[in-house]
Amino acid sequence: MPDLAPITPLGNAHPITETYGPVTLSEVVDRALASVAARLDTGPDAMDNLAKYLGTPLPDVEQISGTTQQAFWIGPDQWMITADFATHETLATDLAQRTQGHFNVTEQTDAWCRFDLTGGQLADVFERLCPVNIRAKSNGTAVRTTIDHLGCSVLIFDQRHIAVMGPRSAAASLHHTLVTALRSVF
Amino acid sequence: MTNSNRLSGGQIDRTKPLNFQFDGKSFQGYQGDTLASALLANGVRLMGRSFKYHRPRGPMTAGSEEPNAIVELRTGAAQEPNTRATTAELFDGLVAKSQNRWPSLAFDAMAINDRLSNFLTAGFYYKTFMWPAAFWEKVYEPIIRKAAGLGTLSHDPDPDCYDKGFLHCDILVIGAGPAGLIAARTAARAGAQVILADEDFRMGGRLNAETFGIGDLGAPDWAAQQVAELASLPNVRLMTRTTVMGAYDHGIYGLVERITDHLPQSPAVKPRQILWRVYSKRAILAAGATERPIVFENNDRPGIMLAGSLRTYANRWAVTPAHQVAVFTNNDDGHRTAIDLITRGVTATVIDTRMDAKSLGDYETLAGGVVSDTAGRLGLTSVQVTLANGAQRSLSVGALGVSGGWNPNVHLTCHQRGRPAWDDRIHAFAPAGTLPAGMSVAGAANGVFGTHDALQSGHAAAIEAAASLGFAPQSIDIPDTRDAPVNLTPFWHVAGAKRAWVDQQNDVTAKDIKLAHQENFASVEHLKRYTTLGMATDQGKTSNIAGLAIMAEVAGKSIPEVGTTMFRPPYTPVALGALAGRSRDQDFRPTRKTPSHRWASEQGAVFVEVGLWLRAQYFPKPGETHWRQSVDREVLQTRKSVGICDVTTLGKIDVQGRDAAEFLNKIYANGFAKLPVGKTRYGLMLREDGIAMDDGTAARFADDHFVVTTTTANAVSVYRHMEFVRQCLCPDMDVHLISTTEAWAQYSVAGPNARKLLQKIVDPEFDISNDAFPYMACGDITVCGGLRARLFRISFSGELAYEIAVPTRYGDALIRRLLDAGQEFDAVVYGTEALGVMRIEKGHAAGNELNGTTTALNLGMGRMVSTKKDSIGATLSTRDGLNDPNALKLVGLRPVDRTKPVPAGSHIMTKGDPVDAAHDQGYVTSACYSPNLGHHIALAFVKSGDTRLGEVVRLVSPLTGVDHDVEIVSAHFIDPEGDRLRA
């Protein structure tokens, strides 16, 4: 264990949790992230092996799959893998070793900040944030979109639990945007 | 005179009186009033002065088409000019003010313009204010603008916030009149997701202004019933106070929703307005029609308004401008106004241009008559009628309703350049040609004027739209209505009228239009611009057609032959704040913060914006009163011992795949295929045209894995360029790119003690001695007890230097640890200014030199462009024009008089030559004071500079008064042999 104390994307020792009307906004820092991209000649067997290792089928376009280790689609033959940080801090290294030669793996844990919104009327909030038609999306949908000029991924676990992943360096701006929308609605 | 003109009934809540002020006087209205209806109720007809002639004006309409009753609302920073009193919803405490008058609305000194009207005709400004040219902007324009009828700004920042949003629907219904209501209901019952938007605060459109029945209910009650049913449906979103202001590509519409404009106090965190972008699969335009006036002499006095609006004020707001009124009409709808007013106890007379016109109720009708003039200085007192037999008759009235027929509101059908077509059936332009994709038009907006027909039209449009989307719509019963046909006989203007206003907002008269024709501005587009007809904020909603009719008459053409001008978004004026949304002030764009931001803030760092990033520019210490003191200290201490700088902002691109090396060979001008694992190489990237694009490094971590570093400024453009090459030019290469700029906190550790400092935090199993980890080495290491990290031995400062990267969450802790560990070396943290000074001292090119015009040859890197391989830009870099032997070369400059500066932007002249562009020898790109050398230095591009070392040239900057001698020297002021960085 390194003897360095991490900070959250918002620059604090601990993640924030705030409440606005029926919605709870939480800064999420306990997920490890790694991107995997199949190489040109990666075949179905290698895909299956990755799926078996993850314990979940590799999701299709706009989809999220998995529980312990989750995957969501980010491009053709490309996925973002997420897992509990405490047990998977070396997720990218582990994946690279498991998929050697078949997938390009890049650590993404600290490339992103993540805010989870839980509670009711989330669609009312998100219609002030991005062009994603939240009401029409089924559970387990991941959409890449823009929120106030920031390229973000919106993970719709269900209509009462939506995560926003944005650039870590702009976490404060993204948080401000989310809070502005929440205050605007509630 | 409180509510002296208030009638009985109406859709106002008399249990909720509202107090308000207009021009400092207190009045009372009721919940449900507009500012205009409340003022009329209080006997106030005069609400403004006209744009050009400062003529007294009152409301002409009861809606958003209003050209006259333009006022300023609210006070202080929230003051909003040029607002229509006819749509301003009354609230308790509203403060409104008339505009474009001095000293008062009743006595306006600028009304002298009206006396000078013979001189102020169309084209007056173009013809008069021609000489001298120097007066155009400094004298004439300010005077004319001051005299013209615009409201005033508070000059304070807008205190309100605004928002943007995105909505999705199957069918967007625009307008909640009879056609819109039934269309929305039909589509909603079919199961479609429906948005029904209306600019009014009460849905129902024209139905709220009428007394006839629909089915068993009065028109307003029927509308309320429809709205109630729609409100109960989960698939319907009702949006009142929402103007559909533009039709855009692919079924996208712009909607402005007014959230708090009608509230006495708006909650601080609530947006005043929201600009919605609506993604619709289909849209039904049911925007209704606008009544058009007849043009006659002095037709603009307060009290003269459209007949339908007169009826609206009476029926909806229980208001009449006067108790003796007349109606001037060419159709039966004008008679309906008279009947409704008489029913409410108002005396009315009808002047009907039709010879066969008959009274439809208990009032006098002057068939075949026309209004030939009016009287009343600040408000109408009488109208002069020329009867059918030529006799004159004067009617003492305080209000005159005018009806020349109705124009379909085609505006949104034209936003994609669709042109309406003339419809002889209704004597008006109706939607035609190519409508915006997915749009259909229903009701009066489509020229269907009867209420029953409008209901059928809306119903049919919804059936078609819903079916086209795969729904199975069911027909619903269309109720009977008891309105009457319009029976219009066209009549545009009273012959001989001169001071007869066509466009009342821009003060364009019938005479102006005739003058435009006389001066050959006969094209409808020329007419518009020469006279400004239809160019005011109302876009000529009440004036265009009359203008066209008059032009047609003088040109001997029909109206459709004259044509019509183009309507463009927005449908009604939109506050700039709504267009900006949240993107204002410090939130204009996102801010990116570096991993050391919190620490730097604690140190009192001065930050500078670099793109979206906030970077520490320098770190002032106690006693330092000038930025140069801080920067000089940071530079000297770094070169003396060790300095640390946050370089996280440099772009980091992960390049992986079997063809990664070949790919880098393609995008960099120099070779990368043979770069060993564990090594870093400086690379120069060219554009396709051979111009230098960016520089940086690529570190090889494995045969199939590189990390490319870009400049901060070009991080996005380089990544985009590389993706373009990968996807479009080299799709067969097995290579994958992903940005990791955010993932790693990266610090430069530079100076003679850099290694010693790092050795204190790098875990002992990693040998970073000069032998084991030489200049340009790279590798994965761990620090501080096992934290994964990357180490690069690269130097921007010219010192022994490393860049160390750790996962971003540990970046804050790492800089604190480096400083703790560096105490024994007096380690210093330096900002971008010191970074810049040291790179200039070292002669490294940066953004100032990679300015989009320079080549590898200019930069002194011509030999880096490999001829042994193909790379982007290599071929075109061999063009003759880019290989002129006399080309600009990057050199250093130092002042002959060491006390003089060498400012960036200055130009270089050969001594003895004239100072002009023809003799220009080059220019300074980067400049600084070098604390190591004790004088100013600069980098510059000089013609054949590499062969002119030692030459003294003249440095000039006529703009800043610089003119002294400098010496051309090597760009490498510090350690030209590179001994330090290899130490």
Side-chain angles (χ1 to χ4, degrees), chain A residues 57-90:
Chain A
L58 294 173
D60 205 344
V61 179
E62 274 204 355
Q63 298 299 301
I64 306 171
S65 68
T67 50
T68 308
Q69 294 190 100
Q70 284 188 324
F72 64 91
W73 187 92
I74 56 172
D77 291 337
Q78 296 173 56
W79 297 270
M80 192 73 84
I81 312 298
T82 81
D84 182 57
F85 182 81
T87 54
H88 292 76
E89 183 172 354
T90 57

Side-chain angles (χ1 to χ4, degrees), chain A residues 2-3 6-7 11 39-41 78 89 105-107 110 127-128 130-131 168-169 173 176 183-184, chain B residues 165-166 168 237 270-271 582 587 591-593 598 654 656 658 704 734 736 742 784 788 808-809 817:
Chain A
D3 58 349
I7 60 170
R39 291 192 167 173
L40 277 186
D41 56 358
Q78 296 173 56
E89 183 172 354
V105 182
T106 302
E107 177 169 342
D110 283 351
E127 70 188 14
R128 301 187 186 204
C130 63
R168 181 182 174 111
S169 66
S173 291
H176 172 75
R183 285 179 172 156
S184 177
Chain B
F166 310 85
H168 304 260
R237 184 176 187 132
K270 296 290 182 195
R582 301 188 202 108
D587 300 321
T591 299
R592 301 175 79 181
K593 293 180 179 172
R598 188 174 72 159
D654 212 43
Q656 292 192 49
R658 267 184 277 282
D704 55 0
D734 180 41
H736 180 255
E742 307 267 337
C784 301
R788 61 198 179 285
T808 306
R809 68 180 60 196
R817 179 63 53 84

